[in-house]
Amino acid sequence: MTHATEPDKSRQGRPAGGPSMAGTVLPLAGLALLALVPLGAPGMQLLVNLALAKGLAVAGVSVLLRAGQVSFGHALYFAVAAYAGAFLMTALPGADLALVLLAGLLGAVVAGVCVGLFVVRYRGIFFGMLNLAFSMIFWSFLEKFYHITGGADGIRLPRPAVLGMDLDRASFELVLFYLTLTLVLGLGWATIRWLASPAGQIFQTLKTNETRLEYLGVSPRRALLWGYLVSAALCGIGGALMGVTQGVVTPEYAWWIRSGEMVFIAVLGGAGSVRGAFVGALIYELVRTYASAYAGDVWQMLLGGFLLVIILFAPRGVIGMIETLAHRGEARK
Amino acid sequence: MTAPLLETRNLVIRFGGVIAANDVSLTITAGRNLAIIGPNGAGKTTFLNICTGWIKPSSGQVLFEGEDVTPLPPRAIVRKGVARAFQIPQLFTEHTALENLLIAVAARDRLRNPFMDLHRIPERDEMMHLLEMVKCADAAHRPVVELPEGQRKLVDIAVALALRPRLLLMDEPTSGVASSEKHRIMEILVEALAERKVTSVFVEHDMGIVERHAEEVAVWNAGNVQLRGTPREILDHPDVIRDVIGEAV
Ligand SMILES: Nc1ncnc2c1ncn2[C@@H]1O[C@H](COP(=O)(O)OP(=O)(O)OP(=O)(O)O)[C@@H](O)[C@H]1O
Ligand SMILES: [Mg+2]
């Protein structure tokens, strides 16, 4: 596929299987660098952890962009998963971290099937807005049914056990950080592989020609549903990680601004790029945190201006710029 | 007697004031290539749309190998062995020509392995050969959006062939292809179809091609089959010379 934001193996003369600079070496180097954060810059550990959790959700939004569909309601899956984790911790105090994440994943996938079966009938603006509508319904459910959901205060999420051990706060945060990093690597890799696989490529043809897809004997709606579930699952794991990292889940998780933020970060990082989702999320959180430390609302202006520049001059996003530079570097060798 | 490959019975469809199918009954016999000719707006494309379930007739039936497929969606009819190449090519424009064929194979065989690269499927060489056959090997690694119209039409046919159909419907297969190439490509195509035991129905405006490559001809006019016969019978018929060939000249 000639997608702009993933390095293209098919057309280049590069021997198959050899690692590419932009595709493999740089992402691994980036992850290795991040792995040093708890040692070298412990003050940034929480920030990076939250950014990567959000990055997983953004990767979910990016998957849909590959099929030409924008969802303005994916915070729904982020929130469903976070609350599923919180409900589990309430019901089974001391439950294991793995169980919390599984509950989140399951919640997101079940919600994805229910909403997905409905929204895959629509495309473009209708698809985007229907997703938004479902997320708003869920948000008001969280706000209004406070005896179940804790209302606007949300639910506190006590620290889960890790493989049966009760860790102190610092150790738990460290475990969570490296777990998140591992999930980013594993799920990022799996998503990229899936996108390159026959089923993933069929999913991406929705962007250009559903008539031909139908005439290949494939149901476009079913193809979209599979991709939708992949995207919901990624958002869900991101949301569940966010919940345990913050120790509290609130209706704000489902708030529509969160959904918009995911689309924003996806475009910033490189629309449709899995790697870009994480780069975008890191930049976004860094700018937001450090700029707002200096002056009140200046971060929105900075990020808005940055996005403007990206759209006008680098439509493949930050990851596109990085890849262009890397290719240039390789060509010079 | 075995059932015809495809049969339509009394198809009727009306678009506003236009009757695009007016009681169309036609049988297509396995192994006999049928050319459909007729003036613009006669309902040729509409006929292919109805046969493949894209448009539902207001009355009438479509039978494929004796089975009523009228209510089925195109994808179900395709799965039974009918493939289609379009008047306006229907391709995945951001994918390369080769990828379009690989995706067709992936769809045909319902490939699901999430960790296998599309480019690594065993049929890759076979699909390269298919592209060579339609003289599009040079387009294999270029995104379809960059290809000229004639090449896109040929890739569209190759995509349909990649499905290994028993019946191939082609809507003006060589329109947009340079006239110097046209005959040669049609030659290769018809030969390949015979080799694979694929029966073809093709809409065609070029009477030279009809004469050479069709075993039977059906003349469309105002939403119905006006005449049907061998190429010789049809092309020498005074009505056809006046209504169809005259117009083309
Ligand atoms: N989906 C549709 N909606 C409305 N009108 C249609 C539709 N499809 C076809 N028509 C009309 O039906 C008539 C037959 O169209 P059709 O495309 O089948 O003709 P054709 O024989 O394929 O012509 P051409 O040689 O120009 O391709 C035309 O008048 C066309 O405008
Ligand atoms: Mg037509």
Side-chain angles (χ1 to χ4, degrees):
Chain A
M1 159 129 199
T2 62
H3 201 275
T5 48
E6 298 293 343
D8 184 5
K9 292 190 252 81
S10 59
R11 242 167 317 253
Q12 313 297 333
R14 199 168 50 76
S20 80
M21 191 68 190
T24 310
V25 179
L26 280 183
L28 287 180
L31 282 172
L33 209 63
L34 287 177
L36 298 176
V37 164
L39 312 170
M44 285 174 71
Q45 180 184 325
L46 183 65
L47 175 71
V48 171
N49 198 342
L50 294 176
L52 290 179
K54 196 177 271 187
L56 280 167
V58 175
V61 171
S62 263
V63 163
L64 284 176
L65 289 176
R66 287 290 195 98
Q69 302 304 316
V70 187
S71 165
F72 289 110
H74 257 47
L76 170 68
Y77 302 109
F78 200 70
V80 164
Y83 272 86
F87 285 141
L88 181 91
M89 283 309 294
T90 315
L92 287 173
D96 210 86
L97 176 58
L99 213 57
V100 177
L101 296 185
L102 271 180
L105 175 63
L106 192 70
V109 170
V110 169
V113 172
C114 298
V115 175
L117 280 171
F118 184 71
V119 298
V120 296
R121 297 157 173 267
Y122 299 87
R123 299 290 182 272
I125 190 78
F126 298 105
F127 177 87
M129 290 295 131
L130 270 173
N131 276 288
L132 175 65
F134 278 105
S135 76
M136 289 172 78
I137 290 168
F138 188 65
W139 176 82
S140 42
F141 165 81
L142 294 176
E143 285 268 330
K144 300 290 173 250
F145 290 80
Y146 52 85
H147 48 285
I148 309 173
T149 63
D153 295 336
I155 304 176
R156 286 200 51 76
L157 222 145
R159 202 178 305 142
V162 179
L163 302 174
M165 293 176 289
D166 277 317
L167 301 178
D168 62 56
R169 189 172 154 187
S171 322
F172 179 73
E173 284 182 351
L174 208 58
V175 167
L176 205 54
F177 181 86
Y178 286 109
L179 176 68
T180 305
L181 209 58
T182 311
L183 284 172
V184 165
L185 178 66
L187 295 175
W189 176 80
T191 307
I192 290 171
R193 289 301 299 264
W194 178 75
L195 285 169
S197 80
Q201 290 286 306
I202 284 178
F203 166 70
Q204 290 164 77
T205 65
L206 289 163
K207 189 177 173 192
T208 51
N209 202 324
E210 293 195 24
T211 302
R212 177 43 89 190
L213 195 54
E214 175 84 33
Y215 273 94
L216 293 182
V218 176
S219 158
R221 284 181 191 174
R222 196 176 300 174
L224 181 52
L225 184 60
W226 280 113
Y228 194 80
L229 292 181
V230 169
S231 98
L234 285 168
C235 276
I237 294 181
L241 279 173
M242 183 74 100
V244 283
T245 310
Q246 292 195 314
V248 59
V249 296
T250 63
E252 203 261 340
Y253 273 54
W255 185 227
W256 62 278
I257 297 216
R258 283 273 180 147
S259 297
E261 190 181 74
M262 290 177 193
V263 178
F264 183 105
I265 297 172
V267 176
L268 180 75
S273 166
V274 175
R275 297 173 182 90
F278 299 106
V279 174
L282 283 167
I283 293 176
Y284 184 90
E285 291 301 325
L286 285 172
V287 171
R288 194 170 75 147
T289 307
Y290 289 104
S292 55
Y294 287 114
D297 289 334
V298 89
W299 68 272
Q300 286 98 334
M301 200 165 98
L302 267 177
L303 280 169
F306 198 26
L307 187 69
L308 196 74
V309 171
I310 290 273
I311 290 172
L312 290 179
F313 303 107
R316 288 166 62 222
V318 176
I319 199 79
M321 298 197 253
I322 295 175
E323 282 170 5
T324 309
L325 291 176
H327 282 313
R328 250 183 239 163
E330 266 190 343
R332 207 169 294 153
K333 264 190 275 176
Chain B
M1 206 193 107
T2 56
L5 190 55
L6 188 94
E7 182 181 357
T8 68
R9 294 182 183 159
N10 312 100
L11 297 176
V12 176
I13 185 81
R14 198 185 282 272
F15 298 116
V18 183
I19 303 182
N22 186 8
D23 201 29
V24 180
S25 297
L26 190 80
T27 55
I28 292 159
T29 312
R32 291 181 66 79
N33 295 334
L34 173 77
I36 294 179
I37 64 173
N40 291 118
K44 305 181 294 295
T45 300
T46 301
F47 176 72
L48 301 186
N49 281 336
I50 296 176
C51 287
T52 54
W54 188 256
I55 289 177
K56 298 298 169 194
S58 50
S59 65
Q61 281 181 307
V62 180
L63 292 91
F64 183 67
E65 297 185 313
E67 184 192 343
D68 186 0
V69 297
T70 325
L72 299 182
R75 58 180 179 274
I77 298 176
V78 168
R79 292 246 172 241
K80 290 185 185 298
V82 182
R84 179 173 182 187
F86 293 81
Q87 188 165 358
I88 297 161
Q90 299 294 323
L91 294 166
F92 308 124
T93 48
E94 289 188 2
H95 286 82
T96 65
L98 178 62
E99 284 167 338
N100 270 266
L101 300 195
L102 297 177
I103 288 169
V105 173
R108 179 192 78 194
D109 295 346
R110 300 180 194 271
L111 301 180
R112 294 264 159 75
N113 180 351
F115 297 113
M116 182 173 72
D117 197 293
L118 178 73
H119 282 270
R120 299 268 162 105
I121 67 177
E123 288 87 349
R124 191 174 193 268
D125 291 342
E126 190 188 328
M127 292 303 118
M128 272 307 289
H129 285 135
L130 197 50
L131 278 177
E132 278 161 26
M133 191 186 89
V134 296
K135 308 284 168 212
C136 291
D138 60 318
H141 301 294
R142 287 172 61 196
V144 164
V145 70
E146 292 174 5
L147 303 182
E149 172 78 4
Q151 254 186 343
R152 265 186 271 162
K153 293 228 45 154
L154 297 171
V155 173
D156 199 44
I157 295 170
V159 166
L161 267 178
L163 296 175
R164 294 208 195 113
R166 268 168 298 146
L167 176 64
L168 174 61
L169 310 174
M170 297 185 281
D171 206 341
E172 305 186 16
T174 57
S175 72
V177 178
S179 49
S180 55
E181 292 263 285
K182 232 178 178 171
H183 284 268
R184 198 160 55 95
I185 283 173
M186 222 28 211
E187 197 95 8
I188 296 167
L189 197 58
V190 168
E191 197 177 301
L193 291 174
E195 201 175 287
R196 288 156 209 242
K197 303 206 177 348
V198 183
T199 306
S200 75
V201 172
F202 57 99
V203 176
E204 188 55 74
H205 285 295
D206 185 321
M207 294 307 139
I209 285 181
V210 171
E211 189 171 11
R212 247 185 100 66
H213 299 295
E215 268 107 26
E216 289 187 79
V217 183
V219 184
W220 239 256
N221 209 345
N224 209 342
V225 186
Q226 188 185 7
L227 281 170
R228 170 159 191 183
T230 64
R232 268 280 53 86
E233 285 164 8
I234 295 297
L235 297 180
D236 291 342
H237 198 285
D239 289 357
V240 175
I241 292 170
R242 191 189 62 233
D243 295 345
V244 183
I245 302 177
E247 189 186 88
V249 169

